[in-house]
Amino acid sequence: MEPLGDKARVFNSRNTRLMREKIMGGQVHKQLLYPLITIAVVFGVWQLAANHYNSEFMMPSPCKTMVTFASVVHDPEVIKNLLITLKRVLTGFFYALLIGVPLGFLMGYSKTAMRLFDPLIDSLRQIPIMAWVPLTIVWFGLGDGPTIFLITFSGVFPIIINTVAGVQNISRDYYNAARSMGGGSWSIFTKIIVPASLPDILIGSRVAVGLGWMSVI
Amino acid sequence: MELKVESISKKFKNDSSFQTVLKDLDFTVREGQFVTLLGPSGCGKTTLLTIIAGFQAASGGRVLINGCQVTRPGPDRGFVFQNYALFPWMTVRDNILYPMKQRKVPGKEREKRLEELLGMAQLEGKEKLFPHQLSGGMKQRVAFIRALAGKPEVLLMDEPLGAVDMQMRQSLQDDLEVLWLKDKTTVVMVTHDVDEAIYLSDRVIVMSAQEGKIVEDLPVRLPRPRDRKGMEYHKHKERLAEALRIAMGKRPESPEAKRQLCLA
């Protein structure tokens, strides 16, 4: 069994402190100012490119794009489709959690489970998502089915891998401490394994939702 | 309560050869005794402690508590970890309640014991904090009372003050002694610090780097709290330092030879 460290790092950035600062925030004005600078620079470059091409078809100017965007957002048809997509992403993500988290717990805790599932998961993981498209259409027909399957499929691996890493990273001392205080298997699972690996599961979920949006198309 | 270590051996397998860490160790700890295992690093003292705790199995021999053989970790043996191992996702309160919940202590009694323990460790008002919000000394006290909360027969401590600096260490030793005097649970502590061993324990067992052989089993009968500058204290200290030198496999340095060196 190979250590999971490297694989997990591909998906999770492990900068939980950065995340916390991002969420809690210390200085509000800095939080607003810096993103605004980025946006301004991007718009500037965009405008320059638009001037260069001088063609609305090749490269529309940022102003024009914003105006069109505003009108499109009010269109009920667009909102309806947006909601449909949102529903698909959430359904797919839900299934990914449903499969990924238990499997991750199992593989993180038991070496036997790891040996059983790791080869399968590692090989499935490598298949490009687009290669599944024709097959899933054959399997599920042309409805929501293929999309949801693909969203689940792309999201399940980061969830599994991060959950496994989360469980494997739990210090032996915590298990020993719990057992020397009379903790049984169920108590160790609910009071130690779940809370200790929760941050990693959340990181995996974040990646999964992101990948889900990307596989919508 | 009686803790009996009977011809405990421990071998580790390295690629092809076996490395013997402990060989045929015997000793008995009586009720209420504070016993310290002292030895150079690598002498297997922590290994022995984890075998008593049941975290790992011995290669030979057995550990008996009140005549019952130890096979796995259990609530009859509390353990204080070197890094405290407080659960960071639980508050101080939940950390201390954990062992009592596992032992199915009724709610009312649980609250009463919690109050009592917090009072003992002078941690009233801190029960809603998380471990990362506590100072090192407070963490150590929480770890200590958490291990006591389930009323273990014996408390095992693995270098409980290993991670703090010298001054802090001495004041924490005072805290630890005060806490222990209030409870008088049987204690087996591991340390590599001679001063700590004499200051806290009723009996010091010095283990050798060679297969953990016991080179000295010294009772300390000084009145508590102990005077670190006293004559008797100093004598004990010298005797243990000598034993440690033997334990490390060095030639014993007699006081005679030392005096001559000073004069020269």
Side-chain angles (χ1 to χ4, degrees), chain B residues 41-96:
Chain B
S41 63
C43 73
K45 52 196 193 299
T46 296
T47 309
L48 178 59
L49 199 71
T50 53
I51 288 172
I52 298 174
F55 298 160
Q56 58 178 324
S59 315
R62 54 186 192 161
V63 175
L64 299 168
I65 293 206
N66 293 330
C68 288
Q69 192 172 344
V70 164
T71 51
R72 65 175 100 125
D76 53 340
R77 284 147 290 143
F79 202 96
V80 179
F81 293 82
Q82 188 171 3
N83 54 8
Y84 313 130
L86 297 171
F87 302 137
W89 50 87
M90 289 184 195
T91 58
V92 168
R93 182 191 147 83
D94 290 334
N95 262 293
I96 300 169

Side-chain angles (χ1 to χ4, degrees), chain B residues 129-144:
Chain B
L129 297 180
F130 284 92
H132 70 92
Q133 296 169 305
L134 301 175
S135 71
M138 285 195 257
K139 274 186 210 163
Q140 190 241 339
R141 297 204 299 271
V142 174
F144 187 80

Side-chain angles (χ1 to χ4, degrees), chain A residues 69-108:
Chain A
F69 175 71
S71 70
V72 163
V73 162
H74 288 299
D75 190 342
E77 191 63 24
V78 171
I79 293 176
K80 201 184 110 200
N81 280 309
L82 207 65
L83 285 177
I84 290 174
T85 309
L86 185 67
K87 195 182 143 221
R88 284 175 182 163
V89 171
L90 289 181
T91 317
F93 172 62
F94 177 71
Y95 287 134
L97 276 181
L98 216 61
I99 301 165
V101 172
L103 206 57
F105 278 141
L106 205 63
M107 286 170 67

Side-chain angles (χ1 to χ4, degrees), chain A residues 173-174 176-184 187-188 191-192 195-196, chain B residues 55 73-75 77 81 83 85-90 98-99 102 146:
Chain A
D173 285 351
Y174 292 142
N176 280 337
R179 290 202 296 157
S180 77
M181 289 188 283
S187 150
I188 286 177
K191 297 277 164 56
I192 312 293
Chain B
F55 298 160
R77 284 147 290 143
F81 293 82
N83 54 8
L86 297 171
F87 302 137
W89 50 87
M90 289 184 195
Y98 183 85
Q102 299 314 311
R146 180 180 74 166

Side-chain angles (χ1 to χ4, degrees), chain A:
Chain A
M1 190 184 68
E2 55 175 320
L4 255 176
D6 284 328
K7 244 190 275 169
R9 218 165 293 135
V10 176
F11 285 107
N12 81 42
S13 41
R14 276 232 171 255
N15 46 6
T16 32
R17 179 184 291 171
L18 210 74
M19 258 171 78
R20 196 178 312 132
E21 277 168 8
K22 222 166 156 181
I23 297 163
M24 319 272 242
Q27 295 141 305
V28 180
H29 65 277
K30 268 193 185 169
Q31 249 183 38
L32 274 175
L33 186 64
Y34 289 123
L36 278 179
I37 292 175
T38 315
I39 292 170
V41 170
V42 169
F43 270 47
V45 173
W46 186 356
Q47 184 66 55
L48 283 177
N51 287 346
H52 177 73
Y53 283 107
N54 205 12
S55 140
E56 241 173 49
F57 177 70
M58 294 269 288
M59 178 65 86
S61 79
C63 285
K64 183 90 181 148
T65 313
M66 284 301 116
V67 170
T68 322
F69 175 71
S71 70
V72 163
V73 162
H74 288 299
D75 190 342
E77 191 63 24
V78 171
I79 293 176
K80 201 184 110 200
N81 280 309
L82 207 65
L83 285 177
I84 290 174
T85 309
L86 185 67
K87 195 182 143 221
R88 284 175 182 163
V89 171
L90 289 181
T91 317
F93 172 62
F94 177 71
Y95 287 134
L97 276 181
L98 216 61
I99 301 165
V101 172
L103 206 57
F105 278 141
L106 205 63
M107 286 170 67
Y109 193 69
S110 144
K111 281 185 181 166
T112 316
M114 186 69 178
R115 288 197 190 105
L116 277 174
F117 292 115
D118 194 41
L120 177 71
I121 284 171
D122 241 6
S123 44
L124 280 180
R125 205 160 69 80
Q126 315 296 336
I127 301 170
I129 199 85
M130 283 302 155
W132 289 97
V133 174
L135 257 182
T136 50
I137 292 175
V138 175
W139 289 343
F140 302 105
L142 271 172
D144 272 358
T147 328
I148 290 176
F149 175 83
L150 291 178
I151 293 167
T152 305
F153 193 84
S154 60
V156 80
F157 298 112
I159 291 178
I160 292 176
I161 286 168
N162 280 287
T163 308
V164 169
V167 175
Q168 284 181 344
N169 279 333
I170 302 173
S171 157
R172 274 244 73 80
D173 285 351
Y174 292 142
Y175 293 114
N176 280 337
R179 290 202 296 157
S180 77
M181 289 188 283
S185 319
W186 178 246
S187 150
I188 286 177
F189 178 70
T190 55
K191 297 277 164 56
I192 312 293
I193 297 180
V194 172
S197 54
L198 199 61
D200 291 280
I201 297 175
L202 290 181
I203 290 172
S205 307
R206 210 168 71 129
V207 178
V209 172
L211 287 178
W213 276 109
M214 294 203 306
S215 28
V216 158
I217 310 169

Side-chain angles (χ1 to χ4, degrees), chain B residues 69-174:
Chain B
Q69 192 172 344
V70 164
T71 51
R72 65 175 100 125
D76 53 340
R77 284 147 290 143
F79 202 96
V80 179
F81 293 82
Q82 188 171 3
N83 54 8
Y84 313 130
L86 297 171
F87 302 137
W89 50 87
M90 289 184 195
T91 58
V92 168
R93 182 191 147 83
D94 290 334
N95 262 293
I96 300 169
L97 285 179
Y98 183 85
M100 294 191 264
K101 281 182 185 159
Q102 299 314 311
R103 294 199 106 175
K104 307 238 165 11
V105 178
K108 251 189 183 164
E109 209 176 303
R110 222 155 53 195
E111 294 300 321
K112 213 180 124 219
R113 177 100 174 120
L114 175 74
E115 285 302 309
E116 191 185 303
L117 288 165
L118 285 171
M120 198 168 113
Q122 295 173 317
L123 285 164
E124 296 104 330
K126 307 276 187 225
E127 58 263 41
K128 288 211 176 71
L129 297 180
F130 284 92
H132 70 92
Q133 296 169 305
L134 301 175
S135 71
M138 285 195 257
K139 274 186 210 163
Q140 190 241 339
R141 297 204 299 271
V142 174
F144 187 80
I145 57 174
R146 180 180 74 166
L148 285 179
K151 299 209 167 153
E153 301 270 353
V154 55
L155 192 61
L156 309 169
M157 299 201 277
D158 181 17
E159 304 220 20
L161 306 177
V164 290
D165 58 74
M166 190 60 190
Q167 275 104 43
M168 184 74 176
R169 207 172 166 125
Q170 294 200 345
S171 89
L172 289 180
Q173 283 166 8
D174 291 338

